[in-house]
Amino acid sequence: MDSTREALRRLVVGTLMPGFVGTTVAPWVTREYAAGLAAVCLYGANVAGPEQLSSLCAELRSVAPDLLVSVDEEGGDVTRLHYPTGSNQPGNAVLGRLDDTALTRESAAAIGRELTAYGINLDLAPVVDVNSAPDNPVIGVRSFGEDAALVSRHGVAAVEGLQAQGVAACAKHFPGHGDTVTDSHLALPRVDAPAEVLEVRELEPFRAAVAAGVACVMTSHVVVTAIDPERPSTFSPTMLGDVLRGRLGFDGVIVSDALDMAGASAETGIPEAAVRALQAGCDLLCTGSETTEDDYLAIVDAVVAAVESGRLDRTRLADAAARVERLRRTFAPGAVVAAAASKEVLWSEDTVAQAFSVSDAARAWQAVDAPPVIVQVASEPNLAVGRVAWGPEAAGLTTDADDVRAGAKVAVAGRSLEPGHPAWVVADRLRAEGHSVIVVECGWPRGEGDVVTYGGSVVAARALGRLLGVRAR
């Protein structure tokens, strides 16, 4: 490779943040770091436990000392550090319901301390989407709430908590994924709200995060018709240049949401999506959780070819790489510890339970003189959450439906309890067997549920157990 093309390739890989397969460092990551790779992203499939994660991060730092290492550690339902066991933080919806910004700041700071202990220096959080669509299939309890002012103040607290620990925060998913009923992992959502609503609802939390000095903003693969009716935000120069850079004054790193999502690349493929994202103004490209070496090289080749053909301006590419390099230097990692499982934040179960919604029927159930049990019903997660441990089962609080003894009162727990969810069938069966039964929604309320916990974290589950009088076995 001649020096000119080598320099171009170095710029290209300086804008990429691939995932990789496995629980040890993929050999190609080491090679590409030497060639200028900017970042990698760790996912749940890369994590088997705290000791293994420490080893993985130590290995990464030994071969790539100033690499940006990122995760989606939102706390609550979306966790990567605690993927096998469930999050040790309550999650955004619970924090928003409590509405104490000091608690939100401390939750984020605790996450930041844990990340820095592992040598992870970019957290793809907080979510600052306003969850204005109750049946939103992908945001829900990842949001602080449905009010823009509340989301703004808690988003700022989360940014401050993370960045005070030396971890770059990333407000997402610009300009807002909360008013959608389509999951962008699976299809291309649209937001059809008028411009005046977008201004005071979707944009306000991002405006606040920018004013608070957030290091990064992540795009959404969502078409916002009042601003750009043709292109998803990730590929919209209007959205990223005119709105985010211009009107909001953001000067940090624009990170694409994962380009392997259907909303980004179902029609074009990931390499073409990478070119389009850079053209639009993205600086750091999240390529997806299972990026192979062949996938990665195809992306590199496509972006190099786009510059050589004149489709992608080299100055735009150089600007993106320079922004990422500044981010790497600003949030340079410290030392990696041998084991970084943090137990420093002991959430009061009574405090967390204050966020719950508890119906009169649930209060009456509490008064029934019978031994309480919890039955958890399997609930399909969205792709952002993944197969993380969740709910009362993760906290050791459950009994199998077939093992419920005569005379017991039963709380049937599930999440996303829409009509047709199997939890309703289980509840009806147990009532028919003579049990006093309530139903617990461990997610965002869909209009039903005698108790709503606003999240499935282990922290929320333990608070639920205390509320219902069920102890871990």
Side-chain angles (χ1 to χ4, degrees), residues 410-423:
V410 186
V412 176
R415 57 184 179 187
S416 299
L417 297 179
E418 299 171 331
H421 192 288

PDB file of all heavy atoms in Angstrom, residues 410-423:
ATOM      1  N   VAL A 410     -50.401 -15.224  45.062  1.00  0.00           N
ATOM      2  CA  VAL A 410     -49.409 -15.245  43.983  1.00  0.00           C
ATOM      3  C   VAL A 410     -49.354 -13.888  43.277  1.00  0.00           C
ATOM      4  O   VAL A 410     -50.389 -13.310  42.933  1.00  0.00           O
ATOM      5  CB  VAL A 410     -49.728 -16.334  42.939  1.00  0.00           C
ATOM      6  CG1 VAL A 410     -48.598 -16.438  41.912  1.00  0.00           C
ATOM      7  CG2 VAL A 410     -49.983 -17.674  43.616  1.00  0.00           C
ATOM      8  N   ALA A 411     -48.124 -13.414  43.048  1.00  0.00           N
ATOM      9  CA  ALA A 411     -47.873 -12.274  42.169  1.00  0.00           C
ATOM     10  C   ALA A 411     -47.246 -12.818  40.891  1.00  0.00           C
ATOM     11  O   ALA A 411     -46.168 -13.424  40.936  1.00  0.00           O
ATOM     12  CB  ALA A 411     -46.943 -11.270  42.832  1.00  0.00           C
ATOM     13  N   VAL A 412     -47.922 -12.642  39.781  1.00  0.00           N
ATOM     14  CA  VAL A 412     -47.422 -13.106  38.483  1.00  0.00           C
ATOM     15  C   VAL A 412     -46.701 -11.935  37.823  1.00  0.00           C
ATOM     16  O   VAL A 412     -47.315 -10.900  37.544  1.00  0.00           O
ATOM     17  CB  VAL A 412     -48.560 -13.618  37.593  1.00  0.00           C
ATOM     18  CG1 VAL A 412     -48.024 -13.994  36.210  1.00  0.00           C
ATOM     19  CG2 VAL A 412     -49.252 -14.810  38.246  1.00  0.00           C
ATOM     20  N   ALA A 413     -45.406 -12.100  37.566  1.00  0.00           N
ATOM     21  CA  ALA A 413     -44.578 -11.008  37.048  1.00  0.00           C
ATOM     22  C   ALA A 413     -44.176 -11.266  35.607  1.00  0.00           C
ATOM     23  O   ALA A 413     -43.803 -12.381  35.235  1.00  0.00           O
ATOM     24  CB  ALA A 413     -43.325 -10.838  37.912  1.00  0.00           C
ATOM     25  N   GLY A 414     -44.247 -10.221  34.802  1.00  0.00           N
ATOM     26  CA  GLY A 414     -43.779 -10.256  33.425  1.00  0.00           C
ATOM     27  C   GLY A 414     -43.447  -8.839  32.994  1.00  0.00           C
ATOM     28  O   GLY A 414     -43.492  -7.908  33.798  1.00  0.00           O
ATOM     29  N   ARG A 415     -43.123  -8.661  31.723  1.00  0.00           N
ATOM     30  CA  ARG A 415     -42.919  -7.297  31.238  1.00  0.00           C
ATOM     31  C   ARG A 415     -43.481  -7.162  29.826  1.00  0.00           C
ATOM     32  O   ARG A 415     -43.631  -8.156  29.124  1.00  0.00           O
ATOM     33  CB  ARG A 415     -41.448  -6.888  31.293  1.00  0.00           C
ATOM     34  CG  ARG A 415     -40.476  -7.757  30.549  1.00  0.00           C
ATOM     35  CD  ARG A 415     -39.047  -7.258  30.798  1.00  0.00           C
ATOM     36  NE  ARG A 415     -38.070  -8.081  30.127  1.00  0.00           N
ATOM     37  CZ  ARG A 415     -36.755  -7.951  30.273  1.00  0.00           C
ATOM     38  NH1 ARG A 415     -36.263  -7.015  31.067  1.00  0.00           N
ATOM     39  NH2 ARG A 415     -35.919  -8.749  29.628  1.00  0.00           N
ATOM     40  N   SER A 416     -43.822  -5.921  29.481  1.00  0.00           N
ATOM     41  CA  SER A 416     -44.540  -5.630  28.235  1.00  0.00           C
ATOM     42  C   SER A 416     -45.829  -6.441  28.182  1.00  0.00           C
ATOM     43  O   SER A 416     -46.062  -7.220  27.256  1.00  0.00           O
ATOM     44  CB  SER A 416     -43.654  -5.912  27.018  1.00  0.00           C
ATOM     45  OG  SER A 416     -42.503  -5.088  27.037  1.00  0.00           O
ATOM     46  N   LEU A 417     -46.658  -6.233  29.180  1.00  0.00           N
ATOM     47  CA  LEU A 417     -47.848  -7.062  29.366  1.00  0.00           C
ATOM     48  C   LEU A 417     -49.007  -6.584  28.497  1.00  0.00           C
ATOM     49  O   LEU A 417     -50.008  -6.063  28.978  1.00  0.00           O
ATOM     50  CB  LEU A 417     -48.246  -7.074  30.843  1.00  0.00           C
ATOM     51  CG  LEU A 417     -47.213  -7.698  31.787  1.00  0.00           C
ATOM     52  CD1 LEU A 417     -47.700  -7.642  33.226  1.00  0.00           C
ATOM     53  CD2 LEU A 417     -46.905  -9.135  31.384  1.00  0.00           C
ATOM     54  N   GLU A 418     -48.855  -6.801  27.219  1.00  0.00           N
ATOM     55  CA  GLU A 418     -49.922  -6.499  26.278  1.00  0.00           C
ATOM     56  C   GLU A 418     -50.951  -7.631  26.300  1.00  0.00           C
ATOM     57  O   GLU A 418     -50.681  -8.726  26.805  1.00  0.00           O
ATOM     58  CB  GLU A 418     -49.330  -6.340  24.878  1.00  0.00           C
ATOM     59  CG  GLU A 418     -48.329  -5.201  24.777  1.00  0.00           C
ATOM     60  CD  GLU A 418     -47.598  -5.190  23.448  1.00  0.00           C
ATOM     61  OE1 GLU A 418     -47.444  -6.286  22.871  1.00  0.00           O
ATOM     62  OE2 GLU A 418     -47.194  -4.108  23.011  1.00  0.00           O
ATOM     63  N   PRO A 419     -52.140  -7.392  25.737  1.00  0.00           N
ATOM     64  CA  PRO A 419     -53.097  -8.498  25.595  1.00  0.00           C
ATOM     65  C   PRO A 419     -52.456  -9.656  24.834  1.00  0.00           C
ATOM     66  O   PRO A 419     -51.759  -9.451  23.849  1.00  0.00           O
ATOM     67  CB  PRO A 419     -54.236  -7.860  24.793  1.00  0.00           C
ATOM     68  CG  PRO A 419     -54.152  -6.398  25.119  1.00  0.00           C
ATOM     69  CD  PRO A 419     -52.685  -6.103  25.268  1.00  0.00           C
ATOM     70  N   GLY A 420     -52.683 -10.845  25.317  1.00  0.00           N
ATOM     71  CA  GLY A 420     -52.089 -12.012  24.684  1.00  0.00           C
ATOM     72  C   GLY A 420     -50.781 -12.453  25.305  1.00  0.00           C
ATOM     73  O   GLY A 420     -50.260 -13.523  24.962  1.00  0.00           O
ATOM     74  N   HIS A 421     -50.209 -11.633  26.216  1.00  0.00           N
ATOM     75  CA  HIS A 421     -48.990 -12.062  26.903  1.00  0.00           C
ATOM     76  C   HIS A 421     -49.307 -13.288  27.743  1.00  0.00           C
ATOM     77  O   HIS A 421     -50.364 -13.362  28.396  1.00  0.00           O
ATOM     78  CB  HIS A 421     -48.470 -10.927  27.790  1.00  0.00           C
ATOM     79  CG  HIS A 421     -47.100 -11.152  28.322  1.00  0.00           C
ATOM     80  ND1 HIS A 421     -46.817 -12.089  29.309  1.00  0.00           N
ATOM     81  CD2 HIS A 421     -45.907 -10.571  28.023  1.00  0.00           C
ATOM     82  CE1 HIS A 421     -45.527 -12.064  29.575  1.00  0.00           C
ATOM     83  NE2 HIS A 421     -44.945 -11.150  28.810  1.00  0.00           N
ATOM     84  N   PRO A 422     -48.415 -14.284  27.776  1.00  0.00           N
ATOM     85  CA  PRO A 422     -48.716 -15.511  28.530  1.00  0.00           C
ATOM     86  C   PRO A 422     -48.900 -15.306  30.030  1.00  0.00           C
ATOM     87  O   PRO A 422     -49.463 -16.165  30.711  1.00  0.00           O
ATOM     88  CB  PRO A 422     -47.510 -16.414  28.236  1.00  0.00           C
ATOM     89  CG  PRO A 422     -46.458 -15.519  27.662  1.00  0.00           C
ATOM     90  CD  PRO A 422     -47.170 -14.404  26.997  1.00  0.00           C
ATOM     91  N   ALA A 423     -48.459 -14.162  30.566  1.00  0.00           N
ATOM     92  CA  ALA A 423     -48.659 -13.910  31.997  1.00  0.00           C
ATOM     93  C   ALA A 423     -50.139 -13.893  32.358  1.00  0.00           C
ATOM     94  O   ALA A 423     -50.527 -14.332  33.450  1.00  0.00           O
ATOM     95  CB  ALA A 423     -48.011 -12.586  32.392  1.00  0.00           C
TER      96      ALA A 423
END
